[in-house]
Amino acid sequence: MSSGKQELKKLQKIVDRVAAYRKTMTALSDAALKNKTDEFRQRLHEGETLDDLLPEAFAVVRETGRRVLGMEHFPTQMIGGVVLHQGRIAQMRTGEGKTLVATLPAYLNALTGQGVHVVTVNDYLAKRDADQMGQIHRFLGLTVGTVLGGMSSAQRRAAYSCDITYVTNSELGFDYLRDNMAMRKDQMVQRGFHYCIIDEVDSVLIDDARTPLIISGGSVRPSRLYEACDTLARRMTRGEDLKEFSKLDMMSGAQQEETGDFIVIEKEKQVFLTEAGVRRVEKFFRVENIADLENIELQHHMNLALRANYLLARDRDYVVKDGEVLIVDALTGRIMPGRRYSEGLHQAIEAKERVRIHKENRTVASVTYQSFFNKYRKKAGMTGTGQTEEKEFAEVYGMDIVQIPTFRPVQRIDREDLVFRTKAEKLEAVCRDVLASREQKRPVLVGTVSVSDSEELSRLFAERGIHHHVLNAKYHDREAAIVAEAGRRGAVTIATNMAGRGTDIKLDDAARKAGGLLVIGTERYDSRRVDDQLRGRSGRQGDPGESRFYLSLEDSLLRLYGGKNPAALFDALDVPAGEGLTHGSLTRAINRAQQRIVSDQFAQRRKLIGYDRVMNEQREAVYAHRLRVLETTDIHAMITALLRLTVEDAVEAASAGKSERERRSLTVQMFSRMLTPGAMAACETCGDEEFPDRLTDALIDRYNCIESAFGDPILMRERERELLLKTVDRHWMEHMDDLEHLRQGVRLVSYAQRDPLEAYQIDAFRLFEEMKRSIRYDTALAMLSIGQMKVRP
C-alpha cells in the first residue's frame, strides 16, 4: 500500500497547484464559474489532457462546493481526488468525506462527454449522493442521473446518457447483461464503460465478487421432491460433530464412529449422510441403492434439504417477507434483491419455510464482477478498509492502494475484546454497559451479525426499559431516519452491519460532551475489514468515541477456530461466572482465524479466476457478435457470409467419408432441407473443385428467392435479425450450462496428473468452436425456412 512520504509529496505538489487558484476562483461570478465547463471542454478539443486541466478543474469544483453546499474540500480530500483520477484506490478513514472527494474526479473525467459512473452499494446511497453531490455538477452545467431498482428502460437510458450517473453495482451489472439480451438496439440502456468511481470498493470488488450476477429463466422441476426431502430432513437426527484429525491420527489409520443420520461440518459449510442416514433415505423413498445413477436426483435433493434445514438459518442467511425467501448479504446485512441460491437450494429453503416453490432457474446470462469492472478503461475506488486485500486488488484489478492522511487526528479509543464463557453472559454484559452509557446520555451503536441476533438483543433491551431503534434487513426502508437519530444524546441503536458502510452518524454537541459514540460489537466477523467498518462509525473527523467487541466462547469464530480448549483459560484464571476476560492469547486466536479465513477465500477466488477468464473471453466474443447484428445496416451481407462459412463447416465435417463422392453426398444431405431437388442434383453432378462454390451459390440463390417472395424488405431485415439473435442466445445459454458441467467435472483430471485448468481451457475452446458451427448451421436452416413460416403483419 502506497502511503510513504515520497508518494504523498508528489500528490501534495498537485494539490498545491490547485490551492494556487483559490483567489482566482473566489473572485469569479456564478456565471463565470459555470462557463469554466465549456472552456475546459474546448481546451480538451484543442489538445490539452485531463491531467493538464486537473488543477484548475479541481479548484472550480472546490469553489462550487463552497457556494452550493457550504462544503469546501480539505487538502486531504484533494489528495484523495487526485488518487481517484489516477485510477487507484484511496483509503480514507470513516468520516473523511469520501462522497465529497468523488465530486472532483467525476467532474474532471465527465468533461470528455463519455460518461462517468459513480458506483455505490445500495439505492439509498445512490439517490442520496446524486441529490446532494449532484448539486455541484448541475451548477457547473453537467447532467446527473440516478439508476434505481424498479426504473423503466427509458428512465435507465436517460440516466446512463447523463454526464455523471450514480448507480449501484448490481443495477449496473444487471443492465449490462440485459443490454446483451436485447433484440433491438433501442432496447439497450448503457453507452459504454469509460470511467467509474467505486465507493466501498472492497465491498464491491472483493465481497460481492464472490457471487456472479446471474439472470435466470425458469425450467420445469417438480416441487414434490423438494417437499418430500424436506419432510424427511426434519425427522432425521443430527450426529455428533467429528473432531479434527491430526497428522498422527491419519498416519495411524484412526477412524471416527459416525452417529445420527447426518453430520454437519460447519467450517466447510457441508453436510453428509451417515450409513444410518442412507438406509433411512432408501427406506423412506423405497429405493434399493441411493448411489445408483438413476437416483442421482434424489441424492442431490436430499443434500439440499439437509443444507436448507441445518446450515442456513432464517433471519441470518435469509428472511421471509410477503411469502418470498430473500437472501441477506452476510457482509452488509442488506437484502439482495433479485438474487436466488442456485442448483435448487433456494427451492429447498422455500420448501422448508412452507412458501410457494418457484421453478428451478436456468442461467440465461451471467458475469462476474471481476470480468465486468475490468471492462472499464479506467476505474478507481474509495474505502476505509482495503489494506488487507491489497494483493487481490493488484492481481485481479491492477489497482494499488494509497493511504490518505486524516484531516484531523483520530480521537476514538479502540478497547481490547472482552470475552465471556456463554452468549447469555455476553448479552447480559452488553445490556449492563448500554444502561450505564444511557445514564451518561451517551449515544450507543450496538452491532450484530444477523437479523435474529438484533431481534434477540432488542427483546432484552425492551425487558430492561432501554428505548432503542433497530436497523436490519427487515427495516431497511427506515435506514435514513434511524441513522439520522443515532448520534443524538442518549440514543441507542441496534444494527446489523447495514450501519457499517456508507452511513455517517453525526453527533450533536451534547453527545460529544458525553464522550461521543460508543460502538459495541457483539461478535467478530470473518473479515477484520467488516469489524473495522463497524468501529469506524465512531470517531469521525476528530470526534471523540470508543469501540469494543463483546465475544463469547459460543460465537462461531471462537467455537470453530479458537483452538483446542479456550474455556480452560477461564478456569486457569478462575474467572467468576458472568465476568469477561481480556487476554492476548484469545485476541491472537481471533486474529489468526480471520487471517486464515480471508486467505482461504482469496485462494478460492484466485482458483476460479482462471476459469472465469475463459468464460469471459467467450462471452465477449458472443456479445460483440450480438452487437454487430444489432448495429449493422447490411444484414444481407452478414447472412451471405454466414452461408459461405456454413458450407465450409459442412465440407470439413464430411471429410471422414471414404471417397470424394461420399463426402459430397454427405455434405449435400446436410442441406437437403434448404435446397430444391434440382439444386441438390446440380451440386451432386458438378466438378470436385467447383462443388463448394456451387453449393454456396445454390444456398444464396435460395436465400435471394425467399427475400424476393417475402415482399417487405424492412420486415425481412427485422425477421433476419431476430432469428440471428435468438439462435445465438439459445446456443449461448446451452453453452454456459456445458461450461459449468465441464468445470465441475474437470477436477477429476487431476487424478490423471493433468492440470484441471489447462484441461478446461482445451475442452472449453473445443465446445466454443462447436457452438459457433451449430449457430451458423441452425441460423442458415432458419433463414432458408423463412418462406415456409407465416409472415407477421
Side-chain angles (χ1 to χ4, degrees), residues 138-317:
R138 292 186 186 99
F139 178 90
L140 291 170
L142 299 182
T143 55
V144 179
T146 314
V147 176
L148 303 172
M151 279 186 167
S152 66
S153 293
Q155 290 172 314
R156 291 170 184 271
R157 192 176 304 109
Y160 283 119
S161 67
C162 290
D163 296 308
I164 299 171
T165 306
Y166 287 83
V167 58
T168 65
N169 49 300
S170 59
E171 292 293 337
L172 189 62
F174 280 125
D175 281 337
Y176 164 73
L177 291 177
R178 282 189 287 264
D179 272 3
N180 285 287
M181 296 166 60
M183 299 306 290
R184 296 195 313 273
K185 186 71 163 63
D186 60 11
Q187 292 175 337
M188 301 177 73
V189 299
Q190 294 180 334
R191 61 176 181 126
F193 305 97
H194 169 57
Y195 174 59
C196 70
I197 303 168
I198 307 169
D199 193 13
E200 307 297 353
V201 66
D202 54 327
S203 175
V204 175
L205 296 189
I206 303 297
D207 300 331
D208 288 353
R210 294 182 300 178
T211 308
L213 291 171
I214 296 172
I215 292 180
S216 304
S219 61
V220 177
R221 178 70 69 96
S223 63
R224 290 180 181 176
L225 193 51
Y226 288 109
E227 293 166 340
C229 289
D230 179 74
T231 299
L232 178 57
R234 291 169 182 269
R235 299 175 185 174
M236 300 180 90
T237 304
R238 176 174 175 169
E240 295 179 6
D241 293 347
L242 300 178
K243 71 172 186 177
E244 288 194 34
F245 258 26
S246 67
K247 289 184 179 179
L248 183 61
D249 290 331
M250 288 187 280
M251 290 173 64
S252 64
Q255 294 185 346
Q256 297 188 64
E257 184 178 347
E258 296 176 347
T259 59
D261 296 318
F262 63 92
I263 302 292
V264 176
I265 305 177
E266 286 188 66
K267 278 187 183 180
E268 299 176 14
K269 297 186 176 1
Q270 290 184 357
V271 58
F272 63 88
L273 292 167
T274 62
E275 286 188 23
V278 168
R279 289 194 297 271
R280 189 164 182 180
V281 172
E282 290 170 345
K283 181 178 180 181
F284 184 86
F285 287 100
R286 298 178 182 176
V287 297
E288 288 187 10
N289 186 357
I290 193 176
D292 284 347
L293 282 177
E294 63 187 29
N295 296 321
I296 194 73
E297 187 175 8
L298 170 59
Q299 191 182 84
H300 176 64
H301 278 66
M302 198 63 235
N303 182 264
L304 291 175
L306 292 170
R307 288 170 62 193
N309 278 278
Y310 300 103
L311 282 179
L312 296 170
R314 181 171 179 167
D315 291 338
R316 184 191 70 192
D317 302 297

Side-chain angles (χ1 to χ4, degrees), residues 550-762:
Y550 291 58
L551 313 177
S552 83
L553 299 181
E554 295 176 352
D555 294 349
S556 60
L557 199 66
L558 277 170
R559 184 167 50 82
L560 298 175
Y561 299 97
K564 290 186 177 179
N565 189 15
L569 189 60
F570 280 79
D571 297 332
L573 297 174
D574 198 23
V575 179
E579 288 193 14
L581 174 65
T582 296
H583 198 278
S585 65
L586 291 173
T587 302
R588 287 191 296 273
I590 292 166
N591 291 338
R592 282 196 303 270
Q594 289 180 320
Q595 290 168 5
R596 176 180 165 187
I597 292 169
V598 168
S599 177
D600 289 347
Q601 289 174 346
F602 176 37
Q604 186 63 25
R605 286 193 295 272
R606 178 192 273 159
K607 191 183 298 182
L608 294 176
I609 285 170
Y611 295 96
D612 181 55
R613 282 183 182 141
V614 175
M615 164 75 91
N616 188 54
E617 288 172 6
Q618 298 184 358
R619 181 193 302 109
E620 289 289 321
V622 170
Y623 286 177
H625 176 68
R626 281 188 106 266
L627 190 59
R628 285 195 299 274
V629 173
L630 288 170
E631 292 181 336
T632 186
T633 55
D634 188 6
I635 202 163
H636 183 280
M638 184 176 280
I639 299 297
T640 301
L642 181 144
L643 292 173
R644 291 189 184 281
L645 286 172
T646 304
V647 170
E648 291 178 13
D649 293 339
V651 171
E652 183 181 347
S655 61
K658 293 181 180 179
S659 65
E660 181 62 38
R661 188 177 214 39
E662 288 175 328
R663 289 196 291 271
R664 185 185 303 186
S665 179
L666 284 170
T667 303
V668 172
Q669 288 301 316
M670 291 178 68
F671 296 96
S672 59
R673 295 171 61 187
M674 308 179 199
L675 298 173
T676 62
M680 289 179 63
C683 289
E684 287 184 340
T685 57
C686 69
D688 293 345
E689 291 185 5
E690 61 178 318
F691 169 68
D693 290 336
R694 178 67 67 88
L695 180 55
T696 301
D697 291 343
L699 293 175
I700 292 174
D701 287 344
R702 168 72 174 154
Y703 170 51
N704 291 334
C705 288
I706 290 172
E707 184 176 16
S708 299
F710 203 82
D712 186 339
I714 296 176
L715 187 59
M716 178 69 176
R717 298 288 87 84
E718 289 181 9
R719 178 62 66 85
E720 289 169 337
R721 205 182 308 272
E722 181 182 326
L723 284 173
L724 263 171
L725 293 173
K726 283 186 174 180
T727 305
V728 168
D729 291 348
R730 175 168 56 84
H731 281 283
W732 174 241
M733 185 167 65
E734 292 170 356
H735 182 68
M736 283 191 291
D737 284 345
D738 291 342
L739 287 183
E740 178 58 25
H741 294 149
L742 178 63
R743 189 176 66 81
Q744 295 291 340
V746 79
R747 300 170 188 164
L748 298 176
V749 305
S750 59
Y751 295 114
Q753 306 302 313
R754 287 182 65 198
D755 177 18
L757 178 57
E758 184 182 343
Y760 176 81
Q761 290 169 332
I762 292 169

Side-chain angles (χ1 to χ4, degrees), residues 8-21 54-55 58 62 74-82:
L8 292 175
K9 255 186 172 179
K10 292 178 187 175
L11 295 167
Q12 188 61 51
K13 285 181 181 179
I14 301 173
V15 172
D16 290 343
R17 291 172 61 196
V18 177
Y21 282 99
L54 186 151
F58 275 28
R62 181 183 60 188
F74 302 142
T76 52
Q77 291 175 318
M78 289 287 182
I79 294 174
V82 175

Side-chain angles (χ1 to χ4, degrees), residues 71-74 76-77 92-101 133 405-412 504-507 512 535-545:
M71 302 167 71
E72 187 172 349
H73 298 75
F74 302 142
T76 52
Q77 291 175 318
M92 306 178 71
R93 280 186 177 266
T94 301
E96 290 297 300
K98 293 191 291 291
T99 308
L100 186 62
V101 170
M133 299 300 148
T406 58
F407 182 62
R408 297 187 180 94
V410 178
Q411 301 293 325
R412 187 185 69 241
D504 196 3
I505 298 175
K506 296 180 180 179
L507 303 179
R512 285 191 186 87
R535 289 188 196 276
R537 297 307 100 198
S538 177
R540 58 180 295 278
Q541 293 187 3
D543 281 342

